[in-house]
Amino acid sequence: MTGSAGGRRARRLAIGTAVMLVLAGTNGPWLYRFGTERYHEYKINRPGYKAVNGHWDVVEFPKEYRQDTIHAVLLHTGKVLLVAGSGNNQDNFDAKRFDSRIWDPVKGTVKKVPTPADLFCTGHTQLADGDILIAGGTKRYERLKGDVKKAGGVMILYNENPDKPMTLPEGTRFTGKGNGKVFLSDDSVLIPRATKVFDRKTGRFLRNNPGYARVVVEAPKEGTRYETGTQDGYRIGGLTGADARNTYGIANKLGMDKRDFEGIRDAYEFDPVAERYIKVDPMNEARWYPTLTTLSDGRVLGVSGLDDIGQLVPGRNEVFDPATKTWTYTRHKRQFPTYPALFLLQNGKLFYSGSNAGYGPDDVGRDPGIWDVATNRFTRLAGLRDPDRMETSGTVLLPPAQDERFLVVGGGGVGESRLSTNRTRLIDLKAAEPRFVDGPRLAKGTRYPQISVLPDDSVLVSGGSEDYRGRGDSDIHQARIYDPASNSFRRVADPLVGRDYHAGSILLPDGRVMFFGSNPLFADKADSRPGVFEQRIEIYTPPYLYRDSRPSLSDGPRTIARGGTGTFTARRASAVRKVRLVRPSATTHVTDVDQRSVALDFTTSRDRITVTVPANRNLVPSGWYMVFAVDGRGTPSTARWVKVP
């Protein structure tokens, strides 16, 4: 006997329900996650949600074009230079595989660029002609204490001969006078000639002050038996007669201690049109983790970094002249931790916020202040909260740049400290007595925040991690927009990709923001699996690009002098409420001192906008800029590129 169709449907429904109940009992968490993820995806893709919170999209290059991007620079061609060098990968370094890419965010194309040296942990900045100055990089990778197999360390070399310098090749043999142990140099070295010293009053010769240099040496074989315990003098192999008497080495303990990264002197200009590196004169000092900052006269200051033996450059700062392509030392010394955040002010002095990215003593060069490079006068600034947690913090010049207000975001303790802070700090350098005050707090303690100024005068703050290099699965999948007018954060759409060490962000000419990099130590909460470098790019489209219409700029000049004017064709010109001149970013290691947004005076007439560029060259350093027109709702145009000579 067969039942009715309705009865059969009821039985199938009951069986299906029972099966679903069993599945739910065994796979409930999976079903819940699946449902939650599908709903979240649905929610973040709704037009209404995007209009309030913006939207994130992941860009993944074809496999043959992927790299571990450490540095990114927006070029005046609208493309982005992505630099990896060896990409914090020892195998790449050993094989001399050094990478750069040119990415076109409009066409979606990517191109490999021959890279002449290991530009991993270099410094970079925009030059007046649109080229990118790139200086420093990696000579040798660090070796942790357990990985050091041969005893070694730094040897000081002296030359007492005032008549000639002494050059020693790589592999020179040094033999201890007391301990009898042998070490070999890992690089060639030039020891300057001695300096004759005379009595100022009588002119009588007093002595020779030896010339000196430093070199890293290693034992020829592995093993702790080659370690030395105390200071000793060393004879130099291959020297005889007067040379052997005048030239010698002295070293303290040579052991199995950690060896830090070592820098290079190499410097290049990258040509955005030819899309190639052009070598210029090397720096006087090798630098790994340096900052490059434009000065009042258009030259570029190179500061800090680890030198060619892995020690912090002791305040020997130098300046690059774009006209002669050469470097000269500054008259005065001043030491900072590596990648210090140094910003050019409207009076020609530099503001140091205290933000930095790592190496250096915890009690030298960390106080924030205003630095007059010409006189070396440094005026300390008070009020900074959590001053012991400024490493890996980010600093941004708030828009408009004329106001000279800065925001400092997050940060952590020195080195591999687990400390981090959720504070932000504000300082108004135009106040009668400038001092730091607390800004709105972040949800979590944040190292490595990515910060980009937007054309509507807001600031996007995203990513970072609570712990050093994302330890303990501590990446922060949150983004906020800071409003300088209300001094408040607003939570927006969450990024899809975690970003910590070696990550950064760049404002694109169409008003979107690109994010790159991330180099976590570990890949799990228990810190049991090594981390994987994040090679995907992520694009954030802010809420202002989900509105019905936006202003437009076209048919304008390619060059506007400081103090001069330029006229653009503009659809909906009458709706424009502000115009911003934005310097393109050059960012790495939470350091982007190029980024600034300058307010332009303007007038409108029908479909025309005429803008005026401020006359102050410190406010508007020479170079290429993006011009954005912004309407009353905060919606920006696509930028027009303009050169300020």
Side-chain angles (χ1 to χ4, degrees), residues 25 28 74 110 152 183 234 344 378 593 619:
L74 179 61
V110 60
F183 295 87
Y234 288 80
L344 179 65
F378 190 87
V593 298
L619 176 64

mmCIF file of all heavy atoms in Angstrom, residues 25 28 74 110 152 183 234 344 378 593 619:
data_model
loop_
_atom_site.group_PDB
_atom_site.id
_atom_site.type_symbol
_atom_site.label_atom_id
_atom_site.label_comp_id
_atom_site.label_asym_id
_atom_site.label_seq_id
_atom_site.Cartn_x
_atom_site.Cartn_y
_atom_site.Cartn_z
ATOM 1 N N GLY A 25 24.539 18.411 15.297
ATOM 2 C CA GLY A 25 25.132 17.956 16.550
ATOM 3 C C GLY A 25 26.609 17.664 16.420
ATOM 4 O O GLY A 25 27.390 17.898 17.342
ATOM 5 N N GLY A 28 28.158 21.298 14.388
ATOM 6 C CA GLY A 28 27.553 22.580 14.734
ATOM 7 C C GLY A 28 28.494 23.766 14.599
ATOM 8 O O GLY A 28 28.153 24.762 13.962
ATOM 9 N N LEU A 74 55.088 55.815 -4.356
ATOM 10 C CA LEU A 74 54.186 56.226 -5.425
ATOM 11 C C LEU A 74 54.954 57.128 -6.385
ATOM 12 O O LEU A 74 55.525 58.147 -5.974
ATOM 13 C CB LEU A 74 52.971 56.967 -4.860
ATOM 14 C CG LEU A 74 51.968 57.479 -5.894
ATOM 15 C CD1 LEU A 74 51.377 56.334 -6.718
ATOM 16 C CD2 LEU A 74 50.861 58.279 -5.209
ATOM 17 N N VAL A 110 51.927 44.383 -13.827
ATOM 18 C CA VAL A 110 53.093 44.358 -12.955
ATOM 19 C C VAL A 110 54.308 43.989 -13.790
ATOM 20 O O VAL A 110 54.219 43.181 -14.723
ATOM 21 C CB VAL A 110 52.889 43.375 -11.778
ATOM 22 C CG1 VAL A 110 52.655 41.963 -12.270
ATOM 23 C CG2 VAL A 110 54.077 43.415 -10.814
ATOM 24 N N GLY A 152 84.244 35.527 16.655
ATOM 25 C CA GLY A 152 84.599 36.732 15.925
ATOM 26 C C GLY A 152 84.036 37.970 16.580
ATOM 27 O O GLY A 152 83.509 37.923 17.697
ATOM 28 N N PHE A 183 92.569 35.223 13.316
ATOM 29 C CA PHE A 183 91.268 35.639 12.797
ATOM 30 C C PHE A 183 91.456 36.222 11.405
ATOM 31 O O PHE A 183 92.530 36.749 11.086
ATOM 32 C CB PHE A 183 90.618 36.660 13.726
ATOM 33 C CG PHE A 183 90.267 36.100 15.074
ATOM 34 C CD1 PHE A 183 91.199 36.101 16.108
ATOM 35 C CD2 PHE A 183 89.019 35.541 15.298
ATOM 36 C CE1 PHE A 183 90.882 35.562 17.350
ATOM 37 C CE2 PHE A 183 88.697 35.007 16.526
ATOM 38 C CZ PHE A 183 89.623 35.008 17.551
ATOM 39 N N TYR A 234 96.964 42.641 17.908
ATOM 40 C CA TYR A 234 97.054 41.670 16.818
ATOM 41 C C TYR A 234 98.032 42.148 15.748
ATOM 42 O O TYR A 234 97.990 43.306 15.314
ATOM 43 C CB TYR A 234 95.674 41.442 16.186
ATOM 44 C CG TYR A 234 94.749 40.653 17.089
ATOM 45 C CD1 TYR A 234 94.066 41.283 18.139
ATOM 46 C CD2 TYR A 234 94.577 39.286 16.922
ATOM 47 C CE1 TYR A 234 93.230 40.564 18.982
ATOM 48 C CE2 TYR A 234 93.738 38.558 17.761
ATOM 49 C CZ TYR A 234 93.072 39.205 18.784
ATOM 50 O OH TYR A 234 92.258 38.486 19.624
ATOM 51 N N LEU A 344 60.171 67.922 7.844
ATOM 52 C CA LEU A 344 60.536 69.302 7.561
ATOM 53 C C LEU A 344 59.403 70.238 7.975
ATOM 54 O O LEU A 344 58.243 70.046 7.593
ATOM 55 C CB LEU A 344 60.822 69.470 6.064
ATOM 56 C CG LEU A 344 61.207 70.869 5.597
ATOM 57 C CD1 LEU A 344 62.542 71.296 6.201
ATOM 58 C CD2 LEU A 344 61.271 70.912 4.058
ATOM 59 N N PHE A 378 68.853 71.382 19.641
ATOM 60 C CA PHE A 378 67.725 70.452 19.734
ATOM 61 C C PHE A 378 66.864 70.858 20.919
ATOM 62 O O PHE A 378 67.319 70.855 22.064
ATOM 63 C CB PHE A 378 68.235 69.015 19.918
ATOM 64 C CG PHE A 378 67.167 67.967 19.784
ATOM 65 C CD1 PHE A 378 66.835 67.451 18.539
ATOM 66 C CD2 PHE A 378 66.494 67.485 20.896
ATOM 67 C CE1 PHE A 378 65.858 66.476 18.402
ATOM 68 C CE2 PHE A 378 65.516 66.517 20.780
ATOM 69 C CZ PHE A 378 65.189 66.008 19.526
ATOM 70 N N VAL A 593 57.984 60.032 5.895
ATOM 71 C CA VAL A 593 58.132 61.455 6.196
ATOM 72 C C VAL A 593 57.854 62.322 4.976
ATOM 73 O O VAL A 593 57.840 63.554 5.079
ATOM 74 C CB VAL A 593 59.540 61.755 6.763
ATOM 75 C CG1 VAL A 593 59.748 61.011 8.068
ATOM 76 C CG2 VAL A 593 60.640 61.388 5.776
ATOM 77 N N LEU A 619 57.079 74.394 3.247
ATOM 78 C CA LEU A 619 55.742 73.813 3.270
ATOM 79 C C LEU A 619 55.496 72.975 2.021
ATOM 80 O O LEU A 619 54.879 71.908 2.084
ATOM 81 C CB LEU A 619 54.693 74.935 3.365
ATOM 82 C CG LEU A 619 53.228 74.514 3.294
ATOM 83 C CD1 LEU A 619 52.856 73.633 4.482
ATOM 84 C CD2 LEU A 619 52.333 75.746 3.231
#
